[in-house]
Amino acid sequence: IFKQNYMALIDFDKIKDVLGLSKPLTKLIEVIAQGTGAITQPYLIKKNADAKAYEINVVSKAIAENQNGLENIEYDEKKVSLRSLNKDSIQEVTSLPDRAENRISYQEQKRQQNIERVTQIAAEQLETEKDVSEEKVDDDWTTRFFNYAQDVSNEEMQSLWGRILAGEVKNPKSYSLRALELIRNLSKREAEIFTKVANYAVQTNNDYFLYKGKDGKLLEKFGVSFSDIALIEELGLMHSGGFTSYKYSKVNQTSSGHLVFGSFIVFMERKPNTPEFSISIQLFTTIGKELLKLVDIDPNFEYVKAFAKEVKSENTSLKYAEVIEINAGTIRHSIPPKEIPE
């Protein structure tokens, strides 16, 4: 399917009917067509042997056309075989235009392969989704996304970009253009450090923060160093200026609330006339919160216990449950909530 002069020429409802695709995958096809102008079967089929052979073929052509020494790469029975050229058969390319053309061809084929891997990952993310927002993905966002994704060759970073695409297809405006720009320049090491720090992110309402404890050194006990935090601040993913306070005002009647520690939800109940108290936190920025959507937070329950130990009092009790699902702000969890052990 090729994008021609106008997107209106493509009837995506017919595509859905003919191919038997779900609504999320159909919308993904539309976004791919908007961003690249064409789609092919291997975009959406990563586990299929034909798709793997296709990928190998792309690499084969690129290397065969641009590097002396290899004639072909073949994919057969899950094996990759290389065949060397006879030195006598090598034709030296000396023309500057020819060398430039070969270089451009090689780069563009590599970019195409990068885009296809990213979109394959997005398709896998959307396979289990039943529905997506009716809102259209912004054209400018789509153009910027594919301009950036085409130069991402690292597999782990491709996975990150694939999840971004899936998230935006599912719910447009999930990732801002500023977030794309930041992620574009994010190194693998920086992404790994952010993921480590993200495991200690706590959600309350629409905010995410790190809880450092009364002595300011709680996170260090869990392997999050000062330099890790400093890097996240430098990247613009957390507000700088040290830790601030999250204040719980005095209540005149029983009050309850909750905080989410990844796969755990902690319920806090305060008795009438509980005095005001505060906890030391450091907030994630707006872009930081966007990137947290990409992380499967794997919390350390010892961190939850440490938080409860420092917050619990004769007026404040805490219990926890395991999160089953979070959908549109609604949290399903195990019941009944349990006491948090010392």
Side-chain angles (χ1 to χ4, degrees):
I1 302 168
F2 294 90
K3 174 183 174 185
Q4 298 180 14
N5 293 329
Y6 301 96
M7 286 302 301
L9 295 176
I10 302 177
D11 189 335
F12 290 100
D13 288 331
K14 289 183 179 179
I15 293 174
K16 178 180 178 181
D17 293 340
V18 172
L19 299 182
L21 296 176
S22 65
K23 183 177 178 180
L25 289 180
T26 302
K27 188 175 180 182
L28 175 62
I29 290 175
E30 179 179 358
V31 174
I32 294 170
Q34 288 172 344
T36 67
I39 60 173
T40 57
Q41 184 185 34
Y43 270 83
L44 306 176
I45 308 173
K46 187 175 183 180
K47 299 177 182 178
N48 187 294
D50 290 339
K52 187 64 179 178
Y54 172 84
E55 292 179 11
I56 296 295
N57 187 49
V58 171
V59 179
S60 171
K61 288 181 179 179
I63 295 178
E65 292 176 6
N66 294 279
Q67 293 190 23
N68 294 333
L70 289 177
E71 181 184 17
N72 197 10
I73 300 179
E74 296 179 348
Y75 178 77
D76 183 36
E77 295 181 355
K78 299 182 180 181
K79 296 180 181 179
V80 177
S81 61
L82 309 179
R83 285 193 293 136
S84 298
L85 278 170
N86 185 312
K87 293 183 178 180
D88 294 335
S89 67
I90 296 177
Q91 293 183 338
E92 185 177 2
V93 179
T94 58
S95 165
L96 180 60
D98 286 344
R99 295 200 304 273
E101 182 180 351
N102 282 352
R103 176 180 58 81
I104 293 171
S105 175
Y106 176 76
Q107 290 176 336
E108 291 306 315
Q109 289 188 64
K110 186 175 181 181
R111 283 176 162 179
Q112 178 69 17
Q113 185 183 50
N114 291 340
I115 287 175
E116 295 191 9
R117 285 177 175 168
V118 167
T119 52
Q120 287 166 355
I121 292 167
E124 290 180 350
Q125 294 286 314
L126 292 169
E127 276 180 346
T128 57
E129 295 290 339
K130 296 180 180 178
D131 202 3
V132 291
S133 169
E134 295 288 346
E135 183 178 358
K136 183 178 179 292
V137 177
D138 181 72
D139 287 343
D140 289 341
W141 189 95
T142 301
T143 299
R144 190 82 62 89
F145 176 87
F146 284 105
N147 282 343
Y148 292 166
Q150 67 182 357
D151 293 321
V152 179
S153 298
N154 178 274
E155 289 187 5
E156 291 183 26
M157 296 305 291
Q158 285 175 343
S159 177
L160 182 68
W161 283 90
R163 282 178 281 152
I164 291 172
L165 179 57
E168 191 70 12
V169 168
K170 182 179 178 181
N171 187 20
K173 297 185 177 68
S174 291
Y175 303 99
S176 64
L177 293 177
R178 288 195 304 138
L180 293 185
E181 181 66 30
L182 186 147
I183 297 169
R184 176 194 186 191
N185 297 309
L186 198 67
S187 70
K188 179 183 175 182
R189 173 180 170 274
E190 291 167 342
E192 289 172 345
I193 291 177
F194 178 77
T195 300
K196 179 174 73 171
V197 173
N199 284 325
Y200 299 94
V202 183
Q203 181 184 4
T204 176
N205 299 321
N206 293 321
D207 286 325
Y208 285 84
F209 62 83
L210 293 179
Y211 175 67
K212 198 174 183 181
K214 293 180 180 179
D215 63 0
K217 297 181 180 180
L218 178 60
L219 289 171
E220 295 176 20
K221 298 176 183 178
F222 294 97
V224 177
S225 66
F226 173 81
S227 60
D228 291 335
I229 301 297
L231 175 62
I232 301 305
E233 289 180 6
E234 183 181 340
L235 292 171
L237 300 174
M238 296 200 75
H239 290 287
S240 58
F243 283 71
T244 184
S245 295
Y246 188 92
K247 186 179 293 185
Y248 287 90
S249 302
K250 180 180 177 180
V251 294
N252 297 318
Q253 57 186 5
T254 300
S255 175
S256 60
H258 69 269
L259 303 100
V260 178
F261 293 71
S263 58
F264 298 108
I265 180 170
V266 173
F267 299 96
M268 181 186 298
E269 184 174 292
R270 293 185 290 156
K271 297 178 180 178
N273 300 316
T274 297
E276 175 183 291
F277 71 95
S278 60
I279 58 176
S280 295
I281 67 169
Q282 185 166 1
L283 285 168
F284 286 86
T285 63
T286 299
I287 298 179
K289 289 189 289 185
E290 290 181 27
L291 263 65
L292 283 172
K293 300 173 188 175
L294 301 169
V295 179
D296 294 324
I297 297 177
D298 183 20
N300 187 327
F301 191 63
E302 293 300 316
Y303 178 61
V304 177
K305 289 167 61 176
F307 172 83
K309 183 178 180 180
E310 295 190 355
V311 173
K312 187 177 180 180
S313 69
E314 61 180 12
N315 293 310
T316 304
S317 62
L318 295 95
K319 293 184 178 182
Y320 82 99
E322 296 182 10
V323 174
I324 298 173
E325 181 185 30
I326 300 179
N327 187 14
T330 301
I331 302 174
R332 290 179 55 232
H333 59 80
S334 60
I335 53 176
K338 304 175 183 177
E339 295 289 340
I340 299 177
E342 295 289 338

